[in-house]
Amino acid sequence: IAELLGPGFRKRPEAETYPIAGLLVRTAIERVGLDNTRTHLYGATAQNWAEACERAGTSASALEQALADAIGR
């Protein structure tokens, strides 16, 4: 996920990044709630992603696994 924050997002095809971004938002809201997603995850950067996840009440690895599970649905 961290590699898609910032310039990494633009380095991949839009047909890949936008659907993943939408699934990430849905997954984050399901996992930590709308308020925590907005407050802690929305403005996160690649450099502070792990800390933002912890402040939101999860971990970067847990959110990555949840996203992978969502992609596999």
Side-chain angles (χ1 to χ4, degrees), residues 4-50:
L4 293 177
L5 301 176
F9 188 83
R10 300 275 183 242
K11 291 180 181 178
R12 293 182 175 214
E14 286 184 5
E16 179 182 318
T17 54
Y18 282 96
I20 290 172
L23 282 173
L24 173 57
V25 170
R26 183 183 80 189
T27 300
I29 291 170
E30 289 173 354
R31 186 153 191 96
V32 300
L34 181 59
D35 288 340
N36 280 330
T37 299
R38 278 195 251 187
T39 301
H40 302 293
L41 301 179
Y42 180 72
T45 65
Q47 293 76 26
N48 69 7
W49 178 247

Side-chain angles (χ1 to χ4, degrees), residues 43-58:
T45 65
Q47 293 76 26
N48 69 7
W49 178 247
E51 294 84 10
C53 289
E54 289 180 19
R55 286 191 306 272
T58 190

